[in-house]
Amino acid sequence: MVQEMLRLSTAGSVDDGKSTLIGRLLFDSKTLFDDQLAAVEEVSKRRGEDYTNLALLTDGLRAEREQGITIDVAYRYFATPRRKFIIADTPGHVQYTRNMVTGASTSDLALILVDARNGVLEQSRRHAFLASLLGIPHLVVCVNKMDLVDWSQERFEEIREEFSQFAAKLDVHDMAFIPISALHGDNIVHRSASMPWYEGSSLLHHLEQVHIASDRNLIDARFPVQYVIRDYGTDFRGYAGTVTGGVLQPGDEVMVLPSGFTTSIKAIWGPGGTPVQEAFPPQAVTVELTDHIDISRGDMICRPGNRPSAGHDIDALVCWLSEGGALKPGGTYTIRHTTRATTAEIQALDYRLDVNTLHRDESAEALALNEIGRVQLRTRQPLLFDPYRRNRFTGGFILVDDTTNNTVAAGMITGPALRDGGAVWQPTRVGREDRAAKGGTVWLTGLSGAGKSTIAVEVERRLIAEGHAAYLLDGDNLRHGLNSDLSFSAADRTENVRRVGEVAKLFADAGIVAVVSMISPYREDRERARAAHEAAGLPFVEVFVDTPIEVCEARDPKGLYARARAGEITGFTGVDDPYEAPESPDLVLNPTQEDTEALAERVVDLLTRQR
Amino acid sequence: MTAVSESAVPVEATDAARDNLKALESEAIHIFREVAGEFDRPVILFSGGKDSTLLLHLAIKAFWPAPVPFPLLHVDTGHNFDEVIQFRDQVVEQHGLRLIVAHVQDWIDDGRLTERPDGTRNPLQTQPLLDTITEHKFDAVFGGGRRDEERARAKERIFSLRNAFGQWDPRRQRPELWNLYNGRHRPGEHVRVFPLSNWTEADVWNYIAREGVELPSIYYAHRRKVYRRDGMWLTEGPWGGPRDGEVVEELMVRYRTVGDGSCTGAVESTATTVEEVIAEVQASRLTERGATRADDRLSEAAMEDRKREGYF
């Protein structure tokens, strides 16, 4: 059997039992050696503690032991026959963000500890947010010290509910809750006898079973060239590097960036010259190409039909890691991204993000240690990149201070900077009155399963039948193309609605009736779409499809409510994410009282009256 | 709408890339190539011991079919095991590599170092190492250190900056994110690089077995004349043993680590093949260093202090 590797990160404060939990995992998985245990017992005794303080195992440096705190990321290892685990253990005090971000950058899974007595504290939320920001696919929330709350199921459920509500705002794909006692070993390796009501896995079992094989990006082929291997004796010329996305095969047609030349893969060699038929991330391989092309370190091999973005202007979220100095607009640094290094200047700081409240402070002028914000960067050489959420390795970068040589920031690319890229509005010579028809937008909002799309399809059909130009913009359909890079986090939902609003506006401007059908749960986002239309002098009709949630859930046409209730999916509107109904819609439809034809007719009537 | 990623992902054959040993191998090779791409004068510390032999094995694989673009460096205490020195020279010749040897004896002979009263020479390696790094202007120095060896190592970065005196400052470590490494340094400073950081002792042995990596014979059980000191089996040798009252016995032993003969202990063992060694490692109740290295037992913070001084 192949032993897989799973990397996890933990974070927590001195008191929530994190070190004890790690000590317990090492101890119970028999990773701990007698001499380590003896040393810990001796120190415990010397300190006058009346139990073996497993936490001492993870306090690595003398300075930490003296101060009783952990000051840095420490790496621990344990293994079962199925998996080897690498724990990036980070402290929860002052330098938490820096260390957590470092530990999280390579993790498959984040382990969050909540003290059952205290509930969900600020730092648990912060850790969940950072895990989501760094794109960790799996979260495990351990509700610890269950022994101190009488193994109460009610308390556990309360914490689960509270945490889920917060996490719904984040981009988290998979979340599990486990009630444990690290001190006594309950639900760590074996299921706890004290909590028969808990039917899930023990922590170790969960860590062994969680499905990680498809977390990596196996779609977008990305191969940053790291080193050119030349053997003069055999005239060999190969491009060495680590596959950071997609799958490479001999015979594949490839494009080399930034030159743009196309060629094909002649052969792929594993370490030491083993022929490779399929190379996946994160394999280190050497690629031979059919044609002689001038390629050097920092170039990228990809597929001609699936290229990364290339450009100098980049938007990114950055975390400032340095005690000395702060990030300010105008600052210049060396940026290290894939295998390329160049100079980057901070063009603007858009906002600072409060990691506790998720509030965006747009008045911020600098980022200090442990602060996170959104910036616009301009690089001297173009970067070849993907959004971080699509690929951690082509979307992540560090900034290095050229004076101290220190790594001062970690960055996650959100996309190419477009807003202030010097684009000037290009006037056209066709006015709205010159077009054949007058356009506008009908916006249907409501819960999942409310019947929006059914009505929208009928509205589009009627308009076309009556000789109008109309086009259906369906939220689900657009997520297959235009919005395929967006998740269901609150920020991405806002972006989703913004994009659809912009597209609808273009259709309306072109003289077409755009029929929009999307949940668009947040009032503010819909208002923004309306404002954009009004500013452009285009009609905008908001239609509220007011089907009660009980009805939507009973229908559940896609089976999504059932999955959301089962906790399989999070951030589901109406279940664990809010739906904000319109306060003054132009029209309210009630599918429980009228049939689709009648409802569609009411929409078309309203449009006709408005013209 | 659902928050589940629905991108079509080919799941088959991904297990191979998830294989722990393959992942560790890829990571180490990535690090070697990164150094080759970023530094002017790297060097590999090579003693002929298990971890440095593995390190060299990976370096050879990383640059295939071209030769390894770095020389090797060994700080020879003069108390090394003959089998290991022979093995070292044989490997160097076999692969056509360049080996630089810094003899601790030379430093003692010209007075730059003085022999310690207890005869151990491990602490004396630091000065010759730093002098040689300076002399050859090495800017990246590969070592076989692993984070599972000792608590102070658990916090060491893969790229670890050393100041002009070769010293490590645990409070001034650079954050290391993703697979991006910052090797920037000032003239006179250098970077220690640890490609095996994430390997455990079990990983090392499993990989040695899988790849058929050859090791010096003393890593496997053999008959040897040893005596007991401080709870360890030390071997007879020019480094001052046995002393009065220490009884020499002939036992079946093997070494789990190989360092200066004065302070490297053997363990009783019957494991003569790599598979038998793996079985022993799995059953062992002592850490590699705890079992066999007197130098790490000196104090609770022994390793941390020596690292600060420039030792690996």
Side-chain angles (χ1 to χ4, degrees), chain A residues 60-106:
Chain A
L61 302 178
R62 170 185 283 180
E64 295 174 351
R65 287 196 299 279
E66 284 166 1
Q67 294 167 29
I69 52 160
T70 323
I71 55 172
D72 209 330
V73 189
Y75 294 87
R76 316 279 167 201
Y77 305 85
F78 70 99
T80 65
R82 189 179 157 85
R83 281 188 176 158
K84 169 186 166 171
F85 299 94
I86 302 179
I87 307 179
D89 177 22
T90 61
H93 63 103
V94 276
Q95 296 201 350
Y96 47 81
T97 303
R98 170 166 97 178
N99 293 322
M100 259 187 234
V101 164
T102 302
S105 69
T106 51

Side-chain angles (χ1 to χ4, degrees), chain A residues 574-586:
Chain A
V575 175
D576 56 359
D577 202 61
Y579 177 77
E580 300 167 1
E583 281 170 343
S584 50
D586 299 290

Side-chain angles (χ1 to χ4, degrees), chain B residues 270-297:
Chain B
T270 54
T272 55
T273 65
V274 66
E275 289 73 22
E276 286 167 6
V277 170
I278 289 171
E280 268 191 15
V281 168
Q282 279 169 353
S284 171
R285 296 302 309 151
L286 290 177
T287 60
E288 213 173 67
R289 285 185 169 268
T292 63
R293 293 294 275 268
D295 46 337
D296 290 334
R297 293 180 166 184

Side-chain angles (χ1 to χ4, degrees), chain A residues 3 7 32 34-35 62 64 75 77 84 105 226 242 284 297 388 402 405 407 488 569-570 572, chain B residues 1-4 20 26-27 30 33-34 38 61 151 154-155 178 182 184 198 203 285 287 304:
Chain A
Q3 186 189 43
R7 294 174 186 255
L32 214 52
D34 288 348
D35 53 327
R62 170 185 283 180
E64 295 174 351
Y75 294 87
Y77 305 85
K84 169 186 166 171
S105 69
Q226 199 184 7
T242 299
R297 177 171 162 85
Y388 182 80
D402 292 315
N405 290 331
T407 303
F488 290 81
I569 50 182
T570 56
F572 192 77
Chain B
M1 294 196 205
T2 144
V4 175
N20 176 42
S26 282
E27 181 181 68
H30 180 87
R33 290 168 171 175
E34 204 56 22
E38 289 286 313
K61 292 186 83 168
R151 286 193 296 188
K155 308 213 164 181
W178 301 292
N182 175 5
R184 292 270 293 265
N198 286 319
D203 294 329
R285 296 302 309 151
T287 60
E304 186 180 341

Side-chain angles (χ1 to χ4, degrees), chain A residues 345-497:
Chain A
E345 185 185 347
I346 310 291
Q347 299 285 307
L349 172 62
D350 295 338
Y351 57 82
R352 179 173 58 211
L353 195 61
D354 185 316
V355 296
N356 299 316
T357 62
L358 308 188
H359 173 74
R360 296 173 178 184
D361 179 3
E362 290 175 8
S363 67
E365 288 172 354
L367 295 180
L369 175 64
N370 294 318
E371 291 185 335
I372 292 172
R374 172 110 136 213
V375 300
Q376 298 171 35
L377 292 172
R378 177 165 296 162
T379 59
R380 195 160 55 80
Q381 286 183 313
L383 298 188
L384 305 162
F385 62 92
D386 295 293
Y388 182 80
R389 69 168 76 258
R390 185 113 189 132
N391 188 320
R392 281 166 133 182
F393 295 100
T394 52
F397 63 82
I398 56 171
L399 298 180
V400 176
D401 183 305
D402 292 315
T403 317
T404 63
N405 290 331
N406 283 333
T407 303
V408 291
M412 289 140 284
I413 296 172
T414 49
L418 297 172
R419 290 178 305 284
D420 295 321
V424 177
W425 188 264
Q426 178 65 45
T428 61
R429 296 177 66 179
V430 179
R432 202 166 284 148
E433 61 285 356
D434 300 325
R435 300 190 191 272
K438 188 166 173 255
T441 294
V442 188
W443 191 287
L444 287 89
T445 173
L447 291 165
S448 176
K452 299 178 298 297
S453 293
T454 316
I455 300 167
V457 165
E458 179 61 16
V459 169
E460 184 192 29
R461 193 195 63 77
R462 278 180 185 242
L463 288 170
I464 298 286
E466 290 174 16
H468 301 294
Y471 192 80
L472 172 65
L473 295 173
D474 182 275
D476 280 350
N477 294 354
L478 292 172
R479 280 201 180 258
H480 289 272
L482 176 68
N483 297 332
S484 60
D485 59 326
L486 298 178
S487 75
F488 290 81
S489 66
D492 275 8
R493 290 194 146 161
T494 295
E495 174 62 12
N496 191 31
V497 171

